[in-house]
Amino acid sequence: MENQTTVSYFLLLEFSKNRHLQLLHFFFFLVFYLAGVTANLLIISAVAFDHRLHSPMYLFLMNLSLQDLGIISVIVPKSMINSLMNTRHISYFGCVTQNFFFICFEASDLSLLTAMAYDRYVAICNPLHYETVMNLKACTEIVILVWFSGLLYGMLHTIGSFSILFCSNVINQFFCEIPQLLKLSCSGLNLLEVGIIIAGIIGALGCFSFIIVSYTVIFKAVLKIPSDQGRQKALSTCIPHVTVVFMFLLSGCIAYLRPPSSTQSYLDFGLTALYSLLPPLLNPIIYSMRNKNIKHVLSQLWRF
């Protein structure tokens, strides 16, 4: 292939040539997808319809669920359809769209987790100023900035990824994953894509550094709380967020630090499914398990 304009479609990873295993893959992903959609929609509904949850922490949580819902909705349905229809094809435009939205939601996730760390810092370390600092206007501006940064990075990264010259259209993964796309380059990475990747790494390191510093200060403040009940209450609002951040970091390491593979591998398939599908399913479960307000609202919605 002379350049990327000759690529009208891509071929995604085929889970198996055995029809029964293809159907097994379809049903497994279907169950996983429905569980993830249901869990995140419950969180979104609980926050949206109960005025008691109209606070900064729950506003951020609702947006996190929207992003997680977007991540699985971008990559899972196409993989299920391909297994069901016994095909591997995804159009060039479909791959571009999938790539853009996946990066957008992932980048927004990291930005939002950073904002949530700041919210917990203000709530625990400066409780008297919390209402002033984290008011409705400030939270709305933060959410808008989070989504804008995700959209901008997704657009730039997608432009950089698809400005390279492709020598093949065979993607060794079940969705248009960036590392696999970059392996199809004929001439290596161009300066635009290198610059975007470096900017992304710097941004990610900055976010994680901010989260680590914030929680270092938070845990020091928690240790100074005189009552055990006060310490437990403060920690109960932090532990779910720390767990989600750890999962995000772990999934990122799995995605981008694992040894490159040039051949189809069930291990590679499983690791990619782990980092891309598991966090969106577990995030709402983690937050609802340790939050009495959410559990109470969800129980009311369930009875309704």
Side-chain angles (χ1 to χ4, degrees):
M1 298 181 185
E2 295 180 358
N3 53 53
Q4 73 270 29
T5 59
T6 62
V7 177
S8 59
Y9 64 90
F10 291 93
L11 295 176
L12 298 175
L13 176 66
E14 186 178 38
F15 179 72
S16 174
K17 296 184 181 297
N18 185 296
R19 186 60 181 156
H20 295 292
L21 291 178
Q22 286 179 342
L23 293 176
L24 179 63
H25 165 252
F26 167 78
F27 285 113
F28 175 76
F29 266 40
L30 177 63
V31 171
F32 209 104
Y33 179 67
L34 292 177
V37 168
T38 301
N40 284 287
L41 283 180
L42 283 174
I43 296 293
I44 294 168
S45 302
V47 176
F49 295 116
D50 196 293
H51 69 278
R52 291 169 296 181
L53 302 183
H54 291 176
S55 64
M57 182 175 70
Y58 296 110
L59 174 65
F60 293 148
L61 180 56
M62 182 178 70
N63 279 272
L64 183 67
S65 290
L66 283 170
Q67 292 162 359
D68 288 340
L69 186 62
I71 289 172
I72 57 176
S73 296
V74 164
I75 62 176
V76 176
K78 179 58 179 176
S79 182
M80 290 193 304
I81 291 172
N82 279 5
S83 289
L84 187 63
M85 304 300 293
N86 192 24
T87 181
R88 301 173 58 191
H89 290 68
I90 182 171
S91 67
Y92 183 89
F93 177 75
C95 192
V96 171
T97 303
Q98 192 178 71
N99 188 277
F100 165 73
F101 282 108
F102 182 76
I103 299 170
C104 170
F105 288 126
E106 287 283 355
S108 299
D109 245 15
L110 180 56
S111 299
L112 188 60
L113 290 173
T114 306
M116 293 171 78
Y118 177 71
D119 173 71
R120 291 300 86 203
Y121 163 77
V122 177
I124 294 175
C125 299
N126 297 287
L128 298 179
H129 298 92
Y130 183 75
E131 296 293 336
T132 303
V133 176
M134 299 303 293
N135 54 50
L136 180 60
K137 180 182 178 182
C139 291
T140 303
E141 290 174 350
I142 290 173
V143 169
I144 292 174
L145 182 61
V146 163
W147 283 102
F148 177 77
S149 63
L151 287 169
L152 179 62
Y153 187 70
M155 180 180 67
L156 292 175
H157 213 323
T158 302
I159 291 173
S161 299
F162 287 88
S163 63
I164 62 177
L165 304 178
F166 293 117
C167 287
S168 172
N169 67 343
V170 179
I171 300 175
N172 187 28
Q173 198 45 263
F174 68 93
F175 72 99
C176 291
E177 187 187 32
I178 290 180
Q180 298 297 331
L181 273 171
L182 297 181
K183 290 179 183 179
L184 308 182
S185 172
C186 294
S187 54
L189 303 182
N190 54 38
L191 291 178
L192 174 62
E193 181 66 4
V194 171
I196 294 170
I197 291 175
I198 293 175
I201 293 173
I202 294 173
L205 290 175
C207 288
F208 282 122
S209 298
F210 181 87
I211 293 172
I212 291 171
V213 171
S214 297
Y215 272 100
T216 300
V217 177
I218 287 172
F219 287 136
K220 286 183 179 179
V222 169
L223 292 175
K224 295 178 181 179
I225 298 176
S227 66
D228 291 338
Q229 185 178 3
R231 285 195 296 269
Q232 290 177 0
K233 183 177 180 181
L235 286 174
S236 67
T237 65
C238 296
I239 290 176
H241 182 250
V242 172
T243 306
V244 170
V245 170
F246 176 76
M247 285 181 53
F248 190 95
L249 178 61
L250 180 62
S251 63
C253 292
I254 291 174
Y256 300 108
L257 299 181
R258 67 179 187 266
S261 173
S262 58
T263 59
Q264 294 184 1
S265 167
Y266 283 112
L267 177 61
D268 195 55
F269 177 93
L271 289 174
T272 302
L274 181 68
Y275 93 79
S276 60
L277 304 183
L278 201 58
L281 173 62
L282 293 183
N283 286 351
I285 297 174
I286 291 170
Y287 273 102
S288 60
M289 281 179 62
R290 297 189 61 88
N291 192 297
K292 294 180 180 179
N293 293 332
I294 290 181
K295 286 194 289 187
H296 177 68
V297 174
L298 290 178
S299 65
Q300 288 182 325
L301 289 174
W302 182 261
R303 287 197 297 269
F304 177 79

